[in-house]
């Protein structure tokens, strides 16, 4: 479903992308849609060759695409080397999320007397801002959210509804925290005495850099001693677990259900696919990509794409392969004996 809250012209769209176009610049554009579903008042985009089959029949008012496909486009086109980035830039023009934030404190909010609110900050209904908190200019604290004591939020940061920022957390500028995420909860630290567990107090904090986004239901635990550190421009999807004292470098991205155990370091410009698991105390260098559902148990010191696990297959075939997997060690030993026998017999 595409929402249209205002209308732009094709010329407006082209100016926003800073690209030339062909066609009628006065054509009204009221939203974005897929190649297959777009109508004459919508812009579509082609960033994946899998959808090239839909280009010839599109009814879009214009299409954002790579110059290589321009000659195949039957409607006005906007050519970019990175069409997906163009789509991302246009999406903000038609974002249906309401922005009705009123600066100030809602009567149903609770704000400590010594909390400091920057110019234009907004604290919505049923939010709680505890003692010693500093909110930068333009910060929005959504309904039901909690900001713990002595936390600092940089300018332009937005907490959606029901976000929990625990005590002593430092958050940079223009950070977005989606509903239900928890920043600065206790890390998973316990010592066993042979009969039961003893909790280890988590004495560190969490530091988020600028332009970070954290998806709904994700948790970033505070450090046991030092801080858990998330670099600038890191994008974290929903249902992600980041344990105590993890460090993630600038511009990295984590897809849904990633789990990172304690004290692991992830470099800059890394990408972790959905369901990836990283064991604790590892290091991933800059530029590492790990494909979905992979388990990483050793440090990675060279950039590149890494995978583990197997793709889905018919169950009967998987069961056969599982049996073979159990036999691999015995097969390897037998192969080694055969090679030794062959080499010995050849002398």
């Amino acid at each position: 479903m595409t929402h249209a809250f205002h209308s732009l012209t094709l010329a407006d769209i082209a100016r926003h992308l800073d690209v030339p176009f062909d066609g009628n610049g006065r054509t009204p554009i009221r939203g974005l849609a897929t190649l297959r579903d777009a109508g004459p008042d919508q812009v579509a985009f082609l960033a994946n060759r899998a959808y090239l089959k839909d280009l010839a029949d599109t009814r879009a008012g214009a299409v954002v695409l790579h110059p290589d496909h321009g000659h195949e486009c039957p409607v006005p086109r906007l050519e970019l080397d990175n069409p997906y980035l163009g789509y991302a830039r246009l999406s903000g023009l038609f974002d249906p999320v309401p922005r009705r934030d009123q600066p100030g404190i809602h009567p149903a909010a609770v704000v400590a007397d010594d909390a400091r609110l920057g110019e234009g900050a907004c604290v919505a209904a049923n939010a709680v801002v505890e003692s010693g908190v500093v909110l930068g200019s333009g910060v929005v604290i959504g309904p039901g959210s909690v900001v713990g004591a002595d936390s600092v939020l940089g300018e332009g940061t937005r907490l959606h509804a029901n976000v929990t920022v625990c005590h002593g957390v430092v958050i940079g500028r223009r950070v977005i925290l989606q509903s239900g995420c928890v920043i600065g909860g206790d890390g998973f630290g316990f010592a066993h005495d042979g009969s039961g567990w003893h909790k280890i107090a988590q004495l560190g904090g969490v530091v988020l850099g600028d332009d970070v986004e954290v998806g709904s239901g994700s948790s970033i635990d505070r450090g046991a001693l030092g801080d858990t550190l998330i670099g600038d421009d890191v994008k974290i999807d929903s249902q992600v677990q980041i344990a105590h004292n993890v460090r993630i470098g600038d511009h990295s991205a984590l897809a849904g259900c990633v789990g990172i155990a304690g004290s692991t370091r992830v470099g800059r410009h890394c990408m972790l696919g959905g369901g990836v698991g990283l064991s604790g105390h590892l290091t991933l260098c800059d530029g590492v990509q790990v494909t979905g559902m992979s388990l990483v148990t050793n440090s990675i010191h060279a950039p590149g794409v890494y995978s583990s696990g197997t793709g889905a297959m018919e169950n009967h075939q998987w069961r056969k392969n599982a049996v073979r997997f159990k036999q691999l060690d015995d097969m390897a030993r037998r192969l080694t004996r055969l090679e030794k026998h062959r080499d010995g017999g050849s002398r």
Side-chain angles (χ1 to χ4, degrees), residues 334-347:
R334 291 165 58 192
L335 180 60
T336 299
R337 289 197 297 269
L338 287 171
E339 289 177 338
K340 287 182 177 179
H341 179 73
R342 180 200 65 190
D343 295 341
S346 63
R347 288 195 291 269

Side-chain angles (χ1 to χ4, degrees), residues 14-295:
R15 278 194 294 270
H16 186 73
L17 295 178
D18 192 26
V19 295
F21 69 97
D22 61 351
N24 184 357
R26 294 189 296 275
T27 300
I29 302 297
R30 297 184 175 87
L32 305 178
T34 64
L35 283 169
R36 181 175 297 180
D37 296 333
D41 61 350
Q42 294 171 310
V43 169
F45 75 102
L46 174 63
N48 187 326
R49 291 184 60 87
Y51 298 99
L52 187 58
K53 62 184 184 299
D54 297 326
L55 181 59
D57 297 322
T58 189
R59 297 173 53 250
V63 177
V64 178
L65 43 57
H66 192 276
D68 288 350
H69 302 301
H71 66 284
E72 303 176 67
C73 186
V75 298
R77 61 188 185 273
L78 303 161
E79 297 183 353
L80 289 88
D81 289 335
N82 188 338
Y84 196 67
L85 179 59
Y87 160 67
R89 291 172 58 190
L90 290 180
S91 67
L93 298 178
F94 299 97
D95 186 357
V97 176
R99 292 287 186 261
R100 304 190 184 96
D101 309 312
Q102 296 296 322
I105 302 171
H106 191 281
V110 177
V111 178
D113 291 339
D114 63 346
R116 290 187 287 160
L117 277 62
E119 181 179 357
C122 169
V123 182
N126 300 317
V128 176
V129 178
E130 295 183 350
S131 177
V133 166
V134 177
L135 305 182
S137 61
V139 167
V140 175
I141 307 300
S145 291
V146 176
V147 182
D150 301 317
S151 289
V152 177
L153 280 63
E155 65 181 49
T157 285
R158 173 180 291 270
L159 277 58
H160 288 265
N162 300 313
V163 169
T164 301
V165 174
C166 299
H167 64 280
V169 170
V170 177
I171 295 176
R173 299 170 295 173
R174 302 176 300 276
V175 171
I176 298 174
L177 303 181
Q178 301 287 352
S179 295
C181 68
V182 178
I183 312 298
D186 278 357
F188 191 68
F190 299 90
H192 201 275
D193 65 3
S195 60
W197 295 100
H198 297 265
K199 184 175 178 60
I200 299 172
Q202 303 295 288
L203 306 180
V206 175
V207 178
L208 304 186
D210 296 340
D211 302 302
V212 170
E213 180 159 353
V214 180
S216 58
S218 291
S219 295
I220 302 177
D221 293 344
R222 67 191 316 105
L225 292 172
D227 295 332
T228 301
L229 302 176
I230 310 298
D232 293 341
D233 192 39
V234 171
K235 308 304 181 186
I236 299 170
D237 198 1
S238 302
Q239 305 295 323
V240 170
Q241 163 64 22
I242 298 175
H244 54 197
N245 298 107
V246 167
R247 296 188 177 191
I248 299 178
D250 300 345
H251 314 297
S252 290
L254 286 61
C257 298
V258 165
I260 305 180
S263 299
T264 283
R265 297 192 176 195
V266 176
R268 295 161 50 93
H269 297 284
C270 290
M271 298 176 65
L272 306 182
V276 164
L278 304 184
S279 296
H281 304 275
L282 305 182
T283 297
L284 271 61
C285 69
D286 297 348
V288 168
Q289 298 181 36
V290 183
T291 60
M293 303 302 293
S294 297
L295 175 63

